């Protein structure tokens, strides 16, 4: 059984398991699946009630914080104890393309040449890590939720705003991966 857990699960196993969370949450208390709202709950728990955006009864959503904590704990357990420490499998064409940008290390989930504390203090690293994080946070707030909330929960409930948000998320991802990221990676800074 442990050997089964040490292998990456195929999309046709992991996808339905994630999808089954929607009816489980709806049946067990009319709860909605989404991760980005948990940050608001954490801020509401830690911030004074003087800020109107964080002034609500966050304790009713404590289940969401437990859910997110379980995701974090599961990721840590899998990363430290279950997954074998083999290099990430990357398509040979992508390896050739990334090599032109100086990315050759595939021993972790993210390229160490880009995502490390030394790279953070370069202009390229600042753009990718800080700028990217800001844009993801801004986009999530502007869209009223994240990809899990819209693409998994919203689409399964046939919500038009979730369809629009998911189309925008996907379009933005394609533009970033194919147009903007290669330009940033070519910068010699």
């Amino acid at each position: 059984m442990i050997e089964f857990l040490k292998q990456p699960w195929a999309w046709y196993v992991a996808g339905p398991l994630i999808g089954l969370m929607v009816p489980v949450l709806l049946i067990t208390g009319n709860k909605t699946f989404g991760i980005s709202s948990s940050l608001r709950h954490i801020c509401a728990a830690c911030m004074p009630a003087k800020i109107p955006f964080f002034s609500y009864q966050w304790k009713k959503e404590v289940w969401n914080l437990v859910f997110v904590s379980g995701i974090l704990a599961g990721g840590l357990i899998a990363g430290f104890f279950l997954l074998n420490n083999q290099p990430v499998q990357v398509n040979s064409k992508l390896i050739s393309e990334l090599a032109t940008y100086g990315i050759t290390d595939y021993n972790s989930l993210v390229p160490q040449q880009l995502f490390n504390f030394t790279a953070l203090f370069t202009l390229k690293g600042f753009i990718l890590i800080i700028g990217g994080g800001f844009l993801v946070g801004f986009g999530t707030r502007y869209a009223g939720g994240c990809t899990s909330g819209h693409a998994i929960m919203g689409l399964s409930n046939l919500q038009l705003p979730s369809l629009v948000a998911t189309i925008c998320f996907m379009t933005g991802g394609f533009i970033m991966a194919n147009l903007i990221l290669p330009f940033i990676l070519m910068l010699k800074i």
Side-chain angles (χ1 to χ4, degrees):
M1 180 65 173
I2 293 294
E3 289 303 315
F4 171 72
L5 294 175
K6 288 186 176 186
Q7 302 301 317
W9 291 6
W11 65 267
Y12 51 81
V13 175
L17 287 174
I18 292 170
L20 286 173
M21 287 306 303
V22 172
V24 167
L25 288 171
L26 289 172
I27 291 169
T28 60
N30 203 24
K31 296 172 174 56
T32 57
F33 183 82
I35 303 301
S36 63
S37 58
S38 60
L39 181 59
R40 182 178 183 213
H41 304 323
I42 291 169
C43 291
C46 298
M47 299 266 185
K50 296 176 185 175
I51 302 172
F53 185 71
F54 298 121
S55 183
Y56 65 96
Q57 294 181 355
W58 63 269
K59 290 181 182 178
K60 289 184 178 180
E61 303 298 327
V62 75
W63 72 270
N64 188 269
L65 298 175
V66 172
F67 182 75
V68 171
S69 298
I71 292 172
L72 180 63
L76 290 173
I77 290 168
F80 287 119
F81 300 112
L82 298 177
L83 295 179
N84 48 17
N85 292 326
Q86 296 179 6
V88 176
Q89 295 177 1
V90 181
N91 185 294
S92 59
K93 291 180 182 178
L94 182 58
I95 289 174
S96 299
E97 182 181 342
L98 292 175
T100 62
Y101 304 123
I103 300 170
T104 56
D105 183 8
Y106 304 105
N107 290 320
S108 62
L109 292 177
V110 295
Q112 292 298 310
Q113 288 99 344
L114 296 176
F115 298 101
N116 60 57
F117 283 110
T118 306
L120 178 61
F121 297 107
T122 65
L123 182 58
K124 186 188 303 187
F126 186 83
I127 291 170
L128 289 173
I129 299 170
I130 304 298
F134 172 78
L135 289 174
V136 166
F138 175 80
T140 299
R141 191 68 241 147
Y142 187 73
C146 60
T147 52
S148 59
H150 282 298
I152 297 170
M153 189 71 182
L155 289 180
S156 67
N157 287 324
L158 304 176
Q159 294 180 9
L160 181 61
S162 291
L163 177 62
V164 172
T166 302
I167 290 170
C168 291
F169 291 150
M170 295 302 293
T171 303
F174 289 132
I175 291 170
M176 179 63 193
N178 294 301
L179 301 176
I180 300 171
L181 184 61
F183 174 73
I184 293 171
L185 292 177
M186 287 189 309
L187 296 174
K188 301 293 182 195
I189 47 175

